Every structure is written in C-alpha cells, then in structure tokens.
Amino acid sequence: MPNVYYDQDADLDILQGKTVGIIGYGSQGHCHALNLKDNGQKVMVGLHATSRSRENARQAGLEVADVDEVTRESDIVMVLIPDHVQPTVYRESIQPNLKPDTTLMFAHGFSIHYKAVVPPANVNVSMVAPKAPGHRMREMFVDGIGVPALMAIQQDTTGDAKGVTLAYAKGIGCTNAGVLETTFKDETETDLFGEQNVLCGGVTSLIRMAFETLVEAGYPPELAYFECLHEMKLIVDLIFQGGFKYMRYSVSDTAEYGDYSRGPRVIDDHVRENMRRTLRDIQDGTFAREWMAENDEGRKRFLQMREEANEHQIEDIGKELRRMMPWMNPVE
Ligand code: NAD
Ligand code: MG
C-alpha cells in the first residue's frame, strides 16, 4: 500500500509568507487558485497578455500578471496550462525567471517524465494531480468536500519539498480526501494507459462498435443508442458504488449470465495483446514522441480525427434523444 496523507499530515503554515503562482486559469487553474485563496494563501495567476481568462480571474478577486512576472514573484509555481504548450511557455517565460529554491509543480507528470521540460537542479520539482475535473473539484470544495490526488517528488533541493507539496495539496482541499504518494513515472504511465484503454479510448470504441453492429443489422439507431450508450452511466454508477459484484447483484440474472459468458468473448486475448502494445508505446516513449510531433506539426491529423469523430451518426442521434430528456441537463 502506498503512503496516503490526510489533513493531519499536512501543515498549511509552511505556505505562510509564501506566494503561490498559478500558471493558467483553465479547468485546474481556476480551481487551484480559488481554493488556495479561500484557504488564506497569497495567490498570483500567470497568463499571457492576450488571454481571455485574465478578466475572469480578476473578477474572481485574483491578482493577475504575465507568466514571467508571476514566476519571479512566486515561491511555488504550479504549471496548469495544457501539457502540449508547457514546453514552450516553460522555455520562454518560466525557466528564465525561476528563483533558486522555488518549488516547481505540475498536476500531471507528462512534461517532466518525457523530458519536454527539464528544470534546473536548484529548484524542487513535485506534483499534485487531483483525480477529478477542475470544475467538479471546485464545486466540491465549496461544499466542503475534497477530491483525492496523487503526489510525487521528483527533485528535492531544499529538503522540504514534501512538506511544501503536502501543504499545497491541503490548500486545494485534497488531503481532506486523501493524497497517495507515487512517482512521476507511475502517474504519467498509468494515467495515459487508463485514458487510452478504458476511460476515453476504450469506452468510446466499445460503445461505437456495438452501436454500429446493431445499426448494421437493421435495428433502429435510437434503440442502439439507448442500449449501448445511455444505459452505460447507470451501470457505471453501480460499479463505482459497489464494484462489479454490486452491479451484478442489481441487474437481472440473465444480464449477469450474459456478462460472464459473453463479455470475455468480446474483450478477448486479442484485446489484451493490444492493451499490452499501447502500454509498451507509453513506456518506451513512442506515444509521447508521436503526440509532441503532432503538436509541432500543427495538429492537422488530430483535428481531422476530431472532425471525423464528431460526424459519426451516434452524435446526431444522441443530440436528438438527449433533447427529449431535459432532466439530464444535456450539453450540445
Ligand atoms: P486547460 O486546457 O483547462 O487550461 C488551459 C489554460 O492554459 C487556460 O487558462 C489558457 O488560457 C492557458 N493557456 C493555453 N495556452 C497558453 C499559452 N500558450 N500560454 C499561456 N497560457 C496558456 O488545462 P487543464 O485541463 O486545466 O490542464 C492543466 C494541467 O492539469 C495539465 O497538466 C493536465 O494534464 C492537468 N490535469 C488536468 C485535469 C483536468 O481536470 N482537466 C485533471 C488532472 C490534471
Ligand atoms: Mg487522468
């Protein structure tokens, strides 16, 4: 069992008299900045001169400045801009302004693990990676609930990197739920593996293929949507609450028998081999190199894949059906 830290293991006083610079004001950035401010910390938000987020951050009562200035003023610099822009912003605006003994922090290990960002030896490098989308995390904080996080120390020059990192985790509310200690390597590789094989890639490919199979066999796409996509949430909620066992207890015995007898035929050893291959691509850096090159080359293939995905029949059918269910708060 890895170390898990809670409120009593973290000391907010460590941040006393220190300035926390939050670079970026997106999903994670707005949440970290506001939670720290609500916990009495001195926060500055670093954004580029033309950022549309500047006004939002100011209206929320936060001090806003250029990334260069925020880096110079801060004892802790948390990098919360998209992973693919981190190398450029780091090189141009953060690194030249980093004071010795600063704690440079990330919410995901990608840039450090794959060496897209290489910090100098005279700063601490650490991570607090909350396990929830930023907007949800902010809502929960306001309700007095924390979300769990992973933490890791990559470089400890000052000798108190862990104390500072745990204090930060407490400041954004995560020690309230529990903070698991890990490494940049494990966080990065398991995060990428999970989103590719299950959470994003696996789940959408599974739903899409099942939907296509029913439609190809002549069933109404509306039915296919309900059976293969809509009901997914109900099943996942049960799994989330009580594991596979509770979900199986809750569905019919017919569904349960189909699960045991047919599930492994669909997700078979070919899929296991494919998963092992995606893991190897993550471990040997193939995926990271491919994604960084895609960004360097202007994201043409990425944007094309996005467009093709958006044109799939399941998106149109879904939009129509969700409109009939306003109680579920549909997003277009
Ligand atoms: P985001 O896309 O929501 O935020 C983007 C922010 O960065 C915006 O404020 C934008 O103005 C700013 N930005 C974009 N390009 C910029 C540039 N060139 N120069 C300066 N600022 C720029 O990002 P996010 O989803 O909050 O992700 C931030 C980090 O947090 C990433 O490392 C991500 O992996 C990690 N993370 C995200 C989530 C999540 O909830 N989305 C969860 C855990 C970890
Ligand atoms: Mg993740």
Side-chain angles (χ1 to χ4, degrees):
M1 181 76 183
N3 291 328
V4 187
Y5 300 98
Y6 296 97
D7 281 344
Q8 69 266 22
D9 306 310
D11 182 5
L12 266 182
D13 288 348
I14 294 177
L15 302 183
Q16 198 71 51
K18 293 194 158 76
T19 298
V20 184
I22 302 291
I23 311 302
Y25 198 71
S27 176
Q28 286 291 314
H30 91 286
C31 169
H32 291 220
L34 294 174
N35 291 8
L36 284 160
K37 177 173 167 284
D38 288 352
N39 267 327
Q41 304 309 314
K42 175 152 174 23
V43 176
M44 284 179 84
V45 175
L47 289 167
H48 56 87
T50 59
S51 169
R52 277 172 298 147
S53 303
R54 279 188 171 235
E55 201 39 46
N56 288 339
R58 278 212 189 91
Q59 287 193 348
L62 291 155
E63 192 179 340
V64 179
D66 291 341
V67 177
D68 304 57
E69 186 187 338
V70 170
T71 305
R72 276 194 299 271
E73 298 285 321
S74 298
D75 306 286
I76 294 154
V77 175
M78 176 52 119
V79 182
L80 294 176
I81 52 182
D83 298 293
H84 66 275
V85 303
Q86 288 179 13
T88 311
V89 175
Y90 176 79
R91 205 174 337 108
E92 290 171 0
S93 305
I94 300 177
Q95 167 124 19
N97 299 295
L98 267 182
K99 295 184 300 196
D101 295 344
T102 298
T103 300
L104 180 66
M105 297 185 65
F106 296 84
H108 177 37
F110 191 97
S111 295
I112 293 290
H113 179 59
Y114 292 114
K115 301 192 164 45
V117 166
V118 182
N122 64 357
V123 300
N124 294 331
V125 181
S126 73
M127 166 169 59
V128 173
K131 296 284 105 182
H135 293 93
R136 184 80 194 101
M137 178 175 161
R138 174 62 185 162
E139 285 165 15
M140 288 171 70
F141 179 89
V142 170
D143 290 340
I145 310 163
V147 306
L150 302 181
M151 69 93 89
I153 309 296
Q154 174 84 1
Q155 202 166 284
D156 183 3
T157 18
T158 60
D160 67 347
K162 193 164 176 176
V164 174
T165 302
L166 280 173
Y168 184 97
K170 187 173 192 171
I172 60 173
C174 291
T175 46
N176 180 246
V179 175
L180 257 80
E181 187 163 16
T182 181
T183 60
F184 272 64
K185 175 183 187 297
D186 284 2
E187 187 276 339
T188 305
E189 293 178 355
T190 56
D191 188 76
L192 292 174
F193 181 84
E195 65 202 17
Q196 292 176 15
N197 291 274
V198 184
L199 307 177
C200 310
V203 111
T204 55
S205 294
L206 183 69
I207 293 173
R208 192 190 62 230
M209 200 175 280
F211 174 88
E212 288 170 356
T213 303
L214 284 177
V215 172
E216 172 196 72
Y219 296 97
E222 291 78 9
L223 246 68
Y225 179 89
F226 270 111
E227 295 302 336
C228 302
L229 189 150
H230 178 81
E231 281 196 49
M232 180 81 166
K233 166 157 172 54
L234 314 174
I235 293 296
V236 168
D237 283 349
L238 294 169
I239 296 174
F240 183 77
Q241 217 187 346
F244 293 159
K245 191 174 166 186
Y246 179 61
M247 180 277 284
R248 285 165 175 156
Y249 160 79
S250 181
V251 300
S252 68
D253 283 2
T254 311
E256 187 178 354
Y257 178 71
D259 167 348
Y260 299 134
S261 67
R262 296 307 193 268
R265 286 195 206 167
V266 175
I267 307 295
D268 62 4
D269 279 335
H270 292 93
V271 176
R272 191 188 301 279
E273 223 8 86
N274 292 338
M275 286 186 178
R276 286 181 177 145
R277 211 170 300 145
T278 66
L279 182 58
R280 279 197 296 274
D281 279 359
I282 291 166
Q283 289 170 329
D284 69 14
T286 302
F287 174 78
R289 276 192 300 277
E290 178 186 317
W291 174 226
M292 289 191 275
E294 177 64 19
N295 281 292
D296 288 344
E297 290 155 15
R299 315 178 120 209
K300 226 176 75 203
R301 284 189 316 150
F302 172 66
L303 295 175
Q304 193 188 329
M305 288 190 273
R306 180 185 278 171
E307 201 177 303
E308 277 169 20
N310 289 346
E311 279 165 7
H312 194 280
Q313 185 188 13
I314 202 167
E315 294 296 338
D316 292 327
I317 290 289
K319 203 184 284 177
E320 244 171 73
L321 293 178
R322 289 189 297 268
R323 259 191 219 130
M324 293 162 38
M325 301 181 279
W327 49 268
M328 57 169 277
N329 234 338
V331 174
E332 295 239 330

